[in-house]
Amino acid sequence: MTPLLRPAPAGRQYAAGATVLALLALASLAVGSRPVPPSQVLSALFGFDPANDLHLVVRALRLPRTLLAIFAGAALGLAGAVMQSVTRNPLAEPGLLGVNSGAAIAVVLGASAFGLTQMAQYVWFGFLGAGLAGVAVFLLGRAHESGTDPVRLVLAGAGISVLLGAAASLVILNSGLEVLDLFRNWGSGALEGRGRAVAATMGVALALGGGLALALAPGLNAMALGHDSGRALGLRPQRFWALACLSVMILAGAATAAAGPIGFVGLVAPHLARAVTGPDNRRVLPLSALFAASVLLGADIIGRVVAPPAEVAAGIVAAILGGPFFVHVVRRFRLARL
């Protein structure tokens, strides 16, 4: 390998990713329908004055929204990286493989049948729906057997997504205005008005699911060689698959319950991470979290400024940005067996 192609040291990669994320976070706190000067942003963070209305805007409205974008984006990036590694499929990500749709229909059912309108209540439905949909897609796509056929897995994910999307629409159309109002903002991936409790719950889920994903990183490297090679290196494929599915269920379920069904973020970030650091999942997973957090936070910022004074939901902006990247990945890999 030539020096020009050698990956940069891990510390430098993490520092660069964290720097970009910090700058975007500062911009997120400053940008909006009412601009806040950077000096006032820093003053609100480190010298809060409850009598200053700009400080209240930063601390009460934009800080929870920024933290939610960071936590949810990182969760989607980790979930996508785990799914791509464990299935050896470059197109795997929670949105494309039905995990987000499973969480979405579960949240809608929870709101419609049980009147659950608080994230702390319906997040458990999001976990359950994400897990069941992921297992269904993996079984229909037979990813647990080989994990090497992108066409089969993507078709299974598309079929499950369409089915669950139709079911969610049916439930919404036959529910009250409360459910419709909840889904109107939540279903588009809008991060506005979620509050501190939602961001805190998302942070706990990220710590649990992300910690499990990072602990699986060495095993993901072994499984990348194939199930037989992984078994020869001491892994139990079925147990490993169960732990990987649990990690994805926690990460994608919480992110979808908190921020809505946001697609493509979990697809883009792992590819960017591998382009920077190579295939080692011990580096890919943390960088995927950093990059995905930056992508979702950047999408949220763009959504605030493209059509003022109205806003475009972060999920819609992420889909617009991620769609061309998905086409690029499809053309690059040609949906061939890897």
Side-chain angles (χ1 to χ4, degrees), residues 214-276:
L214 294 175
L216 295 175
L220 291 174
N221 288 339
M223 290 295 290
L225 302 175
H227 286 199
D228 293 336
S229 298
R231 189 178 292 109
L233 292 173
L235 290 178
R236 299 178 182 177
Q238 291 182 341
R239 179 186 177 188
F240 189 84
W241 263 88
L243 291 174
C245 287
L246 177 61
S247 173
V248 172
M249 179 182 71
I250 295 174
L251 293 167
T256 303
I262 296 175
F264 295 110
V265 173
L267 170 71
V268 173
H271 284 281
L272 295 178
R274 292 189 190 93
V276 171

Side-chain angles (χ1 to χ4, degrees), residues 46-75:
F46 302 108
F48 177 63
D49 179 8
N52 189 324
D53 57 343
L54 291 179
H55 287 198
L56 291 174
V57 169
V58 171
R59 292 288 290 267
L61 299 178
R62 293 184 186 169
L63 182 59
R65 179 175 183 170
T66 299
L67 291 176
L68 177 59
I70 293 173
F71 293 156

Side-chain angles (χ1 to χ4, degrees), residues 98 100-113 129 133 158-175 179-180 183 186:
N100 285 356
S101 297
I105 181 61
V107 169
V108 170
L109 286 174
S112 175
I160 291 292
S161 296
V162 171
L163 177 63
L164 295 179
S169 299
L170 182 63
V171 172
I172 293 169
L173 290 175
N174 290 276
S175 300
V179 177
L180 179 61
F183 190 82
W186 174 83

Side-chain angles (χ1 to χ4, degrees), residues 22-156:
L23 293 175
L24 286 173
L26 181 62
S28 177
L29 296 174
V31 173
S33 58
R34 184 176 183 183
V36 179
S39 60
Q40 287 292 326
V41 170
L42 297 176
S43 179
L45 294 177
F46 302 108
F48 177 63
D49 179 8
N52 189 324
D53 57 343
L54 291 179
H55 287 198
L56 291 174
V57 169
V58 171
R59 292 288 290 267
L61 299 178
R62 293 184 186 169
L63 182 59
R65 179 175 183 170
T66 299
L67 291 176
L68 177 59
I70 293 173
F71 293 156
L76 292 174
L78 284 168
V82 170
M83 293 178 72
Q84 290 176 14
S85 296
V86 80
T87 63
R88 292 182 290 162
N89 185 335
L91 300 179
E93 72 102 21
L96 294 176
L97 296 190
V99 177
N100 285 356
S101 297
I105 181 61
V107 169
V108 170
L109 286 174
S112 175
F114 303 102
L116 306 180
T117 57
Q118 300 298 319
M119 193 266 189
Q121 299 172 330
Y122 61 68
V123 65
W124 305 108
F125 283 80
F127 290 153
L128 180 61
L132 293 178
V135 170
V137 170
F138 289 156
L139 292 177
L140 288 175
R142 298 199 326 219
H144 61 295
E145 297 178 6
S146 61
T148 58
D149 191 343
V151 173
R152 188 167 55 201
L153 205 60
V154 169
L155 290 178

Side-chain angles (χ1 to χ4, degrees), residues 1-10 12-13 274-279 283:
M1 180 180 294
T2 65
L4 290 177
L5 298 179
R6 186 177 297 120
R12 190 182 304 171
Q13 297 167 352
R274 292 189 190 93
V276 171
T277 193
R283 294 188 179 185

